[in-house]
Amino acid sequence: MTDVLPDARAARPPEPATDRALRRAGRRGRASDRYPLPVVARVTLSDVARQAGVSLATASRALNGSSNRTVQPALRERVVAAAAELRYAPDANAQAMARGATTSVGLVVHDIADPYFSTIAAAVTRAADRVGLHVTLASTQNEADREIELVALMQRLRARAVIVAGGRLADPDREERLRAALLDLQAGGASVALVGQPLDGVDSVVIDNAGGARDLALALWGLGYRRAAILGGPTDRLTAQNRRDGFVTAWAGAGGRIDPADVVHGAFTWEGGAEAMTTLLRTRPRPEVVFAANDVMALGALSAARALGVRVPEDVAVAGFDDIATLRDVVPGLTTVRIPLDEAGEAAAELALTPRGDEVRATEIRTEVVLRDSTPPRG
Amino acid sequence: MTDVLPDARAARPPEPATDRALRRAGRRGRASDRYPLPVVARVTLSDVARQAGVSLATASRALNGSSNRTVQPALRERVVAAAAELRYAPDANAQAMARGATTSVGLVVHDIADPYFSTIAAAVTRAADRVGLHVTLASTQNEADREIELVALMQRLRARAVIVAGGRLADPDREERLRAALLDLQAGGASVALVGQPLDGVDSVVIDNAGGARDLALALWGLGYRRAAILGGPTDRLTAQNRRDGFVTAWAGAGGRIDPADVVHGAFTWEGGAEAMTTLLRTRPRPEVVFAANDVMALGALSAARALGVRVPEDVAVAGFDDIATLRDVVPGLTTVRIPLDEAGEAAAELALTPRGDEVRATEIRTEVVLRDSTPPRG
DNA sequence: TTGTAGGCGTTATCAG
DNA sequence: CTGATAACGCCTACAA
């Protein structure tokens, strides 16, 4: 009665995965293991193969079958059943090693809570999803030096594509180090895309910050504003610099003048905007209009103004930059410069997920002034 | 003259990594390889060891040295120098395999562009960062079934901890499958934490949605509102359900009444809120106050109201839920229920990154009503 | 079609 | 203190 055992191979001694797991658990933890994993039995492909009574190779082909899928339906079913029964989940790290490629897309941002970055992140996630990749998120927490570290992290992770959404720095030394890290990444076979300003040798989605700021300045001038001040964002961020300069230059071109003292710098955050606005309102003659280098700063500025009893827009008009989605429908609306961030994110993903030739590619993203109630026409 | 070669081992035939890389590049790509990697030479620890004239083991100890760091300074320096020269970056996947543990924290959200989730994500990222881990982000794009898939993804990735921020579903079948997936994860040694509602057998950060909605209802009642309607969010999301029910129950308790017909459902998105508000304003007697199940919907509702020529708060008052940061300082402010999302995210990370005993843990997050201008006292 | 065996890059055990 | 060498889990020529 051989039918008791459907297959002779099934009679092999069980030798369950638990042994291996226990062995492993016995290892001494590393110093960096602040959070040791408990003792667990991980089921491997070998377990599945044994349970199904087939070789490792067959199990592999049946489950994660490569292009030439050549496993008899009957066997395949047995394997699939065994996998299900054992609740087998392939180890992506092992697969990455064996295949020589991960399925991970790295995304480096400054602050994921900032709508600017979270909008980009959503687009990148969507795009990665479409092609069966997943995203590894890293945030600099607004510390310039961390950007390079995080790019290096992505290299260690062997991310297949890396998108750096941060925007370049005004510091040439740091820039060079970042560039070196990105080139290493590319040398390692990853494709890289930047969002913001371009950088030599790397694909990028270029956002026309200067142009947007210029257009905004002209629009405000056209509305009748003459005395402007700027909440200028961080001094070391090129994005902020471009917006400031674009605005100042256009203002001057129109016949106005913005004194350097009327440019107050601060972090690209709510707090940064609030502080800068407070400084501005306390120490200088009140301007007619304040241009904040991004919407989040503009929000902080609104709050600061209110705290000081200064009404917007009656006492001072305020404009921002980015047109973050959550602010589009509040009343009174915030005048700003719209960046189609979804497009930017998609474009970055497109660049990063598409093989490139020899030439460095750049996708341009146009900006558009959106006038709302925070900057009414000025008699 | 042996001093030409500093070390006899250095005389080994070079046999550079390039060969290996080229060999690998020759492999046929898999069907799923929509984006094949170019031919590249990845430098490995062996290359570093050879270059430094030491064994693989020594190189490993010198660079990624485990607890018992026992390598002579001289050798260590040689290795470090070689690594720098070769621009060596350890392969995290290989390390994960060898060490039996990754450094990855999985985070599952519905939509990273939603401030609710991006705020949580920021907190989780910060917490992970503090302990030297990185986060892998996955987004369901608001598709209920994807949540389970993504949990499975995290298992394949061997995430060391997984945080599911989605909020439970009203569908018991799906819930059971999700629970099974989470238990698998835990069985695999990962720790798991939920944000929103609890689930049997899994740690969770519980947000008091019903209580918040109740408090809001009572506050609005106290302001003099008597006819209320609800933009109820998705019917299959427990978070939405709890908020709706909490509001309705409290309203009834106060002596009011909300007809089921006055609860219009929609997605937890801007569009969902806009559509639901439009339906509400078009097809029913206008309520005095509209409670949107979250702030993002409330925003959509504001926009819809304006589009229909209905003024807020003069013609209809509006309240939301979440108190997302970007909305805190707009004028007129949106009445809402504040959830300390940073705290929730931190708490989730704390649960997920901290070894737990046998008991299932639950951290409670309190909510707080924030009355603003969108719901002025009603004569 | 299926199985055997070698390799992916690193860590860790165990002798020297 | 250092060096072979065996895992880790999986994939894939190559052989059967």
Side-chain angles (χ1 to χ4, degrees):
Chain A
M1 295 185 47
T2 63
D3 58 352
V4 171
L5 296 175
D7 188 307
R9 292 189 213 91
R12 287 175 186 169
E15 138 77 338
T18 316
D19 296 1
R20 214 173 315 117
L22 292 177
R23 208 183 316 134
R24 142 166 304 165
R27 291 180 184 174
R28 250 171 297 119
R30 333 184 64 244
S32 61
D33 266 4
R34 266 164 279 196
Y35 297 102
L37 295 175
V39 177
V40 288
R42 307 234 246 239
V43 18
T44 74
L45 191 54
S46 301
D47 301 321
V48 175
R50 188 181 319 113
Q51 164 101 336
V54 300
S55 77
L56 202 85
T58 301
S60 171
R61 290 191 273 250
L63 292 178
N64 314 313
S66 47
S67 31
N68 35 1
R69 27 163 348 266
T70 49
V71 172
Q72 283 199 337
L75 275 196
R76 176 193 305 286
E77 268 179 48
R78 280 232 303 277
V79 174
V80 170
E85 187 176 343
L86 263 33
R87 320 229 63 174
Y88 166 73
D91 184 324
N93 298 289
Q95 292 183 314
M97 281 218 61
R99 310 220 248 241
T102 67
T103 58
S104 149
V105 174
L107 174 62
V108 178
V109 302
H110 282 312
D111 176 11
I112 190 61
D114 184 329
Y116 176 92
F117 292 111
S118 70
T119 306
I120 291 176
V124 169
T125 303
R126 233 178 295 125
D129 217 74
R130 278 201 297 269
V131 297
L133 302 176
H134 66 263
V135 359
T136 299
L137 175 71
S139 170
T140 67
Q141 324 280 15
N142 281 314
E143 284 175 45
D145 283 328
R146 303 259 1 239
E147 199 161 30
I148 296 168
E149 282 176 35
L150 295 182
V151 168
L153 168 66
M154 295 307 171
Q155 179 162 33
R156 292 200 299 276
L157 261 19
R158 298 294 186 264
R160 162 192 283 258
V162 175
I163 294 169
V164 180
R168 306 283 62 71
L169 293 175
D171 178 341
D173 175 53
R174 279 221 198 77
E175 278 296 271
E176 194 42 53
R177 276 156 52 215
L178 175 61
R179 185 159 163 277
L182 292 172
L183 294 184
D184 282 354
L185 213 41
Q186 289 186 158
S191 50
V192 176
L194 265 31
V195 180
Q197 298 82 26
L199 187 65
D200 248 26
V202 185
D203 288 353
S204 58
V205 174
V206 181
I207 295 175
D208 186 15
N209 288 303
R214 178 201 58 217
D215 294 347
L216 176 64
L218 297 181
L220 293 175
W221 183 273
L223 288 175
Y225 292 94
R226 290 300 175 264
R227 288 187 302 115
I230 298 182
L231 309 183
T235 51
D236 62 350
R237 204 76 74 70
L238 220 49
T239 297
Q241 193 172 298
N242 291 341
R243 293 176 183 180
R244 283 192 306 267
D245 294 351
F247 193 97
V248 170
T249 304
W251 202 255
R257 174 161 197 291
I258 297 176
D259 198 78
D262 285 330
V263 180
V264 182
H265 300 278
F268 253 165
T269 61
W270 189 95
E271 290 78 9
E275 284 167 24
M277 186 66 158
T278 303
T279 304
L280 198 64
L281 292 178
R282 280 225 182 106
T283 63
R284 289 172 184 71
R286 185 185 300 160
E288 295 166 356
V289 60
V290 171
F291 165 48
N294 75 4
D295 282 356
V296 175
M297 290 188 80
L299 273 179
L302 289 181
S303 176
R306 194 179 331 151
L308 293 175
V310 176
R311 294 167 306 164
V312 176
E314 293 83 353
D315 299 332
V316 61
V318 170
F321 208 112
D322 286 348
D323 193 29
I324 61 181
T326 38
L327 253 34
R328 279 179 206 159
D329 300 284
V330 295
V331 187
L334 179 70
T335 287
T336 188
V337 178
R338 173 164 160 66
I339 304 175
L341 291 169
D342 298 280
E343 274 178 43
E346 290 275 359
E350 170 72 17
L351 287 178
L353 295 179
T354 253
R356 93 168 199 217
D358 291 328
E359 84 296 1
V360 173
R361 296 172 298 177
T363 305
E364 302 243 352
I365 297 288
R366 303 195 65 76
T367 58
E368 179 192 356
V369 172
V370 184
L371 295 177
R372 298 205 182 99
D373 304 336
S374 67
T375 60
R378 191 174 172 85
Chain B
M1 293 177 58
T2 64
D3 57 352
V4 172
L5 296 173
D7 189 308
R9 291 188 213 91
R12 288 173 187 173
E15 136 80 338
T18 316
D19 297 1
R20 214 175 314 118
L22 291 178
R23 205 184 318 134
R24 141 165 305 165
R27 291 178 184 176
R28 251 172 297 120
R30 331 183 66 244
S32 60
D33 266 2
R34 268 163 278 198
Y35 297 103
L37 295 175
V39 177
V40 288
R42 307 234 245 239
V43 18
T44 74
L45 190 55
S46 299
D47 300 322
V48 174
R50 186 179 323 110
Q51 164 99 337
V54 301
S55 75
L56 195 67
T58 301
S60 172
R61 289 190 274 250
L63 292 179
N64 314 313
S66 45
S67 33
N68 33 1
R69 34 174 325 281
T70 49
V71 173
Q72 281 199 337
L75 275 195
R76 176 192 305 286
E77 267 178 50
R78 279 233 301 278
V79 174
V80 169
E85 187 176 342
L86 263 36
R87 319 229 63 172
Y88 166 74
D91 184 325
N93 297 291
Q95 292 184 312
M97 281 218 59
R99 309 219 248 241
T102 67
T103 58
S104 148
V105 174
L107 174 62
V108 178
V109 302
H110 282 311
D111 175 10
I112 190 62
D114 184 328
Y116 176 92
F117 292 111
S118 71
T119 306
I120 290 176
V124 169
T125 303
R126 231 178 295 124
D129 216 74
R130 276 201 298 269
V131 296
L133 302 176
H134 66 264
V135 357
T136 298
L137 175 71
S139 170
T140 67
Q141 323 280 16
N142 280 315
E143 284 176 45
D145 282 328
R146 303 255 5 234
E147 198 161 31
I148 296 168
E149 281 174 37
L150 296 182
V151 168
L153 168 65
M154 294 308 171
Q155 180 163 32
R156 293 201 299 277
L157 260 21
R158 298 294 186 265
R160 165 191 280 257
V162 175
I163 294 169
V164 180
R168 307 285 59 72
L169 292 174
D171 178 343
D173 175 52
R174 277 223 199 76
E175 278 298 272
E176 193 43 52
R177 276 156 54 215
L178 175 62
R179 185 160 163 276
L182 292 172
L183 293 183
D184 281 354
L185 213 41
Q186 289 185 158
S191 50
V192 176
L194 265 32
V195 180
Q197 297 82 25
L199 187 65
D200 247 26
V202 185
D203 287 353
S204 57
V205 174
V206 181
I207 295 174
D208 187 15
N209 289 302
R214 178 199 59 216
D215 294 346
L216 176 64
L218 297 181
L220 293 175
W221 183 272
L223 288 175
Y225 293 94
R226 291 298 176 266
R227 287 187 302 114
I230 298 181
L231 309 183
T235 51
D236 63 350
R237 204 75 75 69
L238 220 50
T239 298
Q241 192 171 298
N242 290 341
R243 292 177 183 178
R244 283 193 306 267
D245 294 352
F247 194 97
V248 170
T249 304
W251 201 256
R257 175 162 194 288
I258 297 177
D259 197 78
D262 285 331
V263 180
V264 182
H265 300 279
F268 253 164
T269 61
W270 190 95
E271 289 79 10
E275 285 167 23
M277 186 66 160
T278 304
T279 304
L280 198 64
L281 293 178
R282 279 224 182 107
T283 63
R284 291 173 184 70
R286 183 186 299 160
E288 295 166 355
V289 59
V290 171
F291 166 49
N294 74 3
D295 283 355
V296 176
M297 290 189 79
L299 273 180
L302 289 182
S303 176
R306 194 180 331 150
L308 293 174
V310 175
R311 295 166 305 165
V312 176
E314 293 84 352
D315 300 331
V316 60
V318 170
F321 208 112
D322 287 347
D323 194 30
I324 60 181
T326 38
L327 254 33
R328 279 177 205 160
D329 300 283
V330 294
V331 187
L334 179 69
T335 287
T336 188
V337 178
R338 172 164 162 67
I339 304 176
L341 291 169
D342 298 280
E343 273 179 44
E346 289 275 359
E350 169 74 18
L351 288 178
L353 295 178
T354 255
R356 96 170 197 214
D358 291 329
E359 83 297 0
V360 174
R361 297 172 296 179
T363 305
E364 302 243 352
I365 297 288
R366 303 195 64 75
T367 59
E368 180 193 355
V369 172
V370 184
L371 295 176
R372 298 206 182 98
D373 303 337
S374 67
T375 60
R378 192 174 170 84

